[in-house]
C-alpha cells in the first residue's frame, strides 16, 4: 500500500502506518540512530515503541519529558567536601550501568519531547548528541526513541531547535485500519467495536484540531469504548460513556450498529450447524456477524476444540449461502490474515466448493495489498 503524505505549514510530510513505522524504527535502532516519532494524539505511538521493545528484548524506560525540569536530566549539583568542588548527582530515572547489564537492550523513550520547555529540550540535546550529560554517560545498549504531537495538532508544543532536530531520524505515523485490526485481535478488543469499525473504517480516527469537541475517535479512545462496554449497564449510560470517549455523533452510530448486532443469530449456533440462514440483510449486521464468527473460531482454535474443522466448514458454508462475494472475500481474509486461523483444506468438507467459487477473488484481493 503506498504511503500517504500530508501538507503541514506548506511542507510535504511522508506518513507511515504503524507496521511500516515499526520496520523503519527497528532498522534505525540496529545502528543506534535516535528516532523521533511524530503523529496526532491517540494513534498509538507509545504502543508501537513498547511493541518494538518487546521484539528486541528491551526494557522500556518511559519518560514524559514535558513533566521534567532541566535539572531532572543533568542532575542536581552538590558540594563534594573531599574534592572541594561541585559535582552532579545523576537522575535516578536514567539507566545506570548496573541496570544495563541486566538487559539485552534498554529503550529510553522520551515521550512528549516537543511539549517540554525549551530549556529541557536544550538539556536533552546534549544527552542525545553526545550520549552523556554532565558526569553521566548512557550505557552502550541504551537506544533512544522520542515522540511528540505535530504543531498542527494544536497541543502544547514548542518548536524543536534545529540542531536537536538534526540529531534524529524523523518518522510520522498515521492510523491504518488493518494495522489496528491486527492489534485489536491480539489485545481482545470487544467484538462490537471491531465489528463496527470493520464496517465503518473511516471512523477509526476523526481527530480535527479545529473542532471544539473534547471527545473524538482515535485508536486509543476506541480501546476505552471496548473497556466501557458492559451488559450490566443500561443503554443510556453506555451511550453517555461512549459519547464521552469518541463524541456524540459516533456514539449514536455505534449504538445503532450494536443494537442491530444484538439481534443477529448466535454465532455459536451457526458454527454448530443449528442456524443456516440469515434473515437480516442489513450490511452492517453482516459485517458484525462475520467478525463474531471469526472471534468464535479463534476461541475454538485456542481451546484446541476437536470440532474446529467442522466449525470452519459451517463458517464457509454459511458465508457462501448468505453473503455476497465482497463480504465472503472479506470474511475469509479476516479469518486467515488477522485471526490467523489454521484452516486445513483437506479437513474442511466444503473447501473445494468454496475455493472454486471464490478462490480467484481472494487471490486478486490479496495481490492488491
Amino acid at each position: 500500500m503506498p504511503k500517504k503524505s500530508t501538507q503541514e505549514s506548506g511542507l510535504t510530510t511522508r506518513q507511515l502506518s504503524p507496521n511500516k513505522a515499526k520496520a523503519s524504527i527497528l532498522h534505525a535502532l540496529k545502528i543506534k540512530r535516535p528516532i523521533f516519532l511524530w503523529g496526532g494524539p491517540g494513534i498509538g505511538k507509545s504502543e508501537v515503541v513498547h511493541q518494538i521493545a518487546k521484539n528486541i528484548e528491551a526494557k522500556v524506560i518511559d519518560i514524559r519529558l514535558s513533566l521534567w525540569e532541566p535539572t531532572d536530566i543533568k542532575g542536581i549539583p552538590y558540594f563534594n567536601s573531599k574534592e572541594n568542588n561541585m559535582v552532579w548527582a545523576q537522575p535516578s530515572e536514567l539507566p545506570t550501568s548496573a541496570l544495563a547489564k541486566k538487559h539485552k537492550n534498554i529503550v529510553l523513550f522520551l515521550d512528549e519531547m516537543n511539549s517540554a520547555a525549551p530549556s529541557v529540550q536544550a538539556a536533552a540535546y546534549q544527552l542525545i548528541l553526545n550520549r552523556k550529560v554532565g558526569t553521566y554517560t548512557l550505557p552502550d545498549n541504551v537506544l533512544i526513541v522520542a515522540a511528540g504531537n505535530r504543531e498542527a495538532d494544536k497541543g502544547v508544543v514548542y518548536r524543536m531547535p534545529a540542531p536537536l532536530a538534526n540529531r534524529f531520524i524523523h518518522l510520522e505515523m498515521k492510523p491504518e485500519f488493518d494495522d489496528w485490526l491486527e492489534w485489536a485481535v491480539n489485545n481482545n478488543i470487544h467484538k462490537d467495536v471491531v465489528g463496527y469499525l470493520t464496517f465503518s473504517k473511516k471512523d477509526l480516527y476523526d481527530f480535527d484540531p479545529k473542532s471544539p469537541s473534547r471527545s473524538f475517535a482515535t485508536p486509543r479512545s476506541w480501546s476505552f469504548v471496548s473497556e466501557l462496554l458492559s451488559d450490566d449497564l443500561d443503554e443510556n449510560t453506555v451511550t453517555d460513556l461512549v459519547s464521552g470517549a469518541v463524541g456524540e455523533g459516533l456514539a449514536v452510530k455505534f449504538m445503532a450498529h450494536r443494537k442491530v448486532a444484538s439481534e443477529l443469530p448466535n454465532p455459536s449456533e451457526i458454527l454448530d450447524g443449528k442456524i443456516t440462514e440469515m434473515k437480516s440483510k442489513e450490511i452492517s449486521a453482516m459485517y458484525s456477524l462475520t467478525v463474531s464468527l471469526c472471534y468464535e473460531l479463534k476461541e475454538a482454535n485456542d481451546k484446541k476444540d476437536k470440532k474446529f474443522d467442522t466449525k470452519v466448514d459451517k463458517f464457509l458454508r454459511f458465508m457462501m449461502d448468505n453473503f455476497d462475494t465482497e463480504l465472503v472475500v472479506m470474511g475469509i481474509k479476516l479469518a486467515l490474515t488477522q485471526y490467523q486461523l489454521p484452516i486445513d483444506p483437506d479437513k474442511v468438507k466444503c473447501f473445494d466448493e468454496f475455493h472454486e467459487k471464490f478462490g480467484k477473488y481472494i487471490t486478486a484481493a490479496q495481490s492488491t495489498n
Side-chain angles (χ1 to χ4, degrees):
M1 181 177 293
K3 304 174 185 66
K4 295 182 179 179
S5 298
T6 57
Q7 294 290 333
E8 183 175 327
S9 301
L11 298 176
T12 300
T13 304
R14 188 178 181 86
Q15 292 185 309
L16 304 174
S17 69
N19 282 345
K20 292 288 187 182
K22 279 190 281 187
S24 297
I25 295 169
L26 278 169
H27 182 71
L29 292 183
K30 285 181 181 178
I31 56 175
K32 294 188 177 180
R33 288 297 180 192
I35 287 283
F36 198 105
L37 196 56
W38 299 86
I43 64 173
K45 297 185 292 294
S46 299
E47 179 65 25
V48 163
V49 173
H50 282 270
Q51 288 176 18
I52 288 171
K54 186 176 181 180
N55 289 345
I56 61 176
E57 301 176 48
K59 174 182 175 61
V60 178
I61 297 179
D62 193 333
I63 294 175
R64 298 299 168 106
L65 213 58
S66 58
L67 304 178
W68 277 35
E69 298 292 336
T71 52
D72 293 331
I73 296 176
K74 190 173 182 180
I76 297 177
Y78 67 92
F79 179 66
N80 184 339
S81 58
K82 293 181 180 180
E83 300 292 336
N84 195 33
N85 61 5
M86 296 295 292
V87 294
W88 294 85
Q90 76 177 58
S92 60
E93 289 91 343
L94 294 178
T96 63
S97 297
L99 179 65
K101 291 177 181 178
K102 296 179 181 179
H103 301 279
K104 182 177 180 181
N105 293 290
I106 293 178
V107 171
L108 182 60
F109 181 38
L110 306 175
D111 201 3
E112 301 175 358
M113 184 170 182
N114 59 332
S115 295
S119 57
V120 178
Q121 292 190 39
Y125 170 69
Q126 188 179 354
L127 182 66
I128 295 160
L129 174 64
N130 300 321
R131 293 183 63 86
K132 63 182 298 182
V133 59
T135 57
Y136 171 76
T137 301
L138 280 175
D140 289 340
N141 64 338
V142 174
L143 310 169
I144 298 176
V145 180
N149 293 332
R150 304 159 301 185
E151 292 180 34
D153 295 324
K154 304 301 183 183
V156 178
V157 297
Y158 298 91
R159 183 175 293 275
M160 187 181 298
L164 176 58
N166 194 236
R167 305 314 300 177
F168 285 104
I169 292 174
H170 297 268
L171 300 175
E172 182 168 325
M173 265 178 53
K174 67 180 178 68
E176 182 77 37
F177 174 77
D178 288 341
D179 290 6
W180 175 84
L181 180 57
E182 179 183 325
W183 174 86
V185 170
N186 292 331
N187 288 272
N188 298 314
I189 296 300
H190 198 287
K191 64 182 181 181
D192 288 354
V193 173
V194 176
Y196 173 74
L197 291 177
T198 301
F199 167 68
S200 187
K201 298 179 178 65
K202 64 181 177 60
D203 290 339
L204 174 63
Y205 189 75
D206 76 342
F207 172 62
D208 180 1
K210 297 179 182 178
S211 171
S213 177
R214 292 184 293 270
S215 303
F216 47 89
T218 67
R220 178 168 59 203
S221 59
W222 280 115
S223 71
F224 295 164
V225 172
S226 174
E227 296 167 356
L228 292 168
L229 297 180
S230 171
D231 294 333
D232 299 333
L233 298 176
D234 63 87
E235 184 176 343
N236 286 336
T237 301
V238 175
T239 302
D240 291 340
L241 291 169
V242 174
S243 178
V246 297
E248 184 177 3
L250 287 185
V252 171
K253 290 171 62 179
F254 173 76
M255 293 302 293
H257 173 88
R258 197 177 187 221
K259 184 176 182 180
V260 171
S262 68
E263 298 170 354
L264 296 174
N266 187 318
S268 295
E269 294 184 343
I270 292 173
L271 298 181
D272 287 339
K274 296 177 181 179
I275 296 177
T276 59
E277 182 181 358
M278 182 173 179
K279 296 180 181 179
S280 172
K281 297 303 178 183
E282 167 66 41
I283 185 66
S284 68
M286 295 181 183
Y287 270 85
S288 189
L289 182 59
T290 303
V291 170
S292 296
L293 288 168
C294 288
Y295 258 75
E296 291 285 332
L297 285 173
K298 182 178 184 296
E299 190 172 86
N301 179 59
D302 291 343
K303 293 180 178 179
K304 301 188 184 304
D305 189 334
K306 294 181 179 179
K307 295 182 179 180
F308 175 74
D309 295 318
T310 301
K311 291 183 176 183
V312 171
D313 179 69
K314 301 300 182 185
F315 169 63
L316 298 182
R317 172 54 63 188
F318 185 84
M319 288 200 299
M320 282 194 288
D321 292 345
N322 292 278
F323 297 160
D324 61 22
T325 299
E326 182 180 353
L327 197 57
V328 172
V329 172
M330 188 277 289
I332 191 61
K333 283 183 63 182
L334 196 66
L336 293 174
T337 305
Q338 303 297 347
Y339 290 83
Q340 297 183 338
L341 299 176
I343 296 177
D344 187 341
D346 296 330
K347 296 181 180 179
V348 178
K349 291 182 180 179
C350 71
F351 188 86
D352 289 341
E353 179 186 351
F354 181 86
H355 187 268
E356 183 178 348
K357 286 184 177 181
F358 302 102
K360 61 182 179 180
Y361 300 109
I362 296 169
T363 300
Q366 288 177 326
S367 65
T368 60
N369 289 343

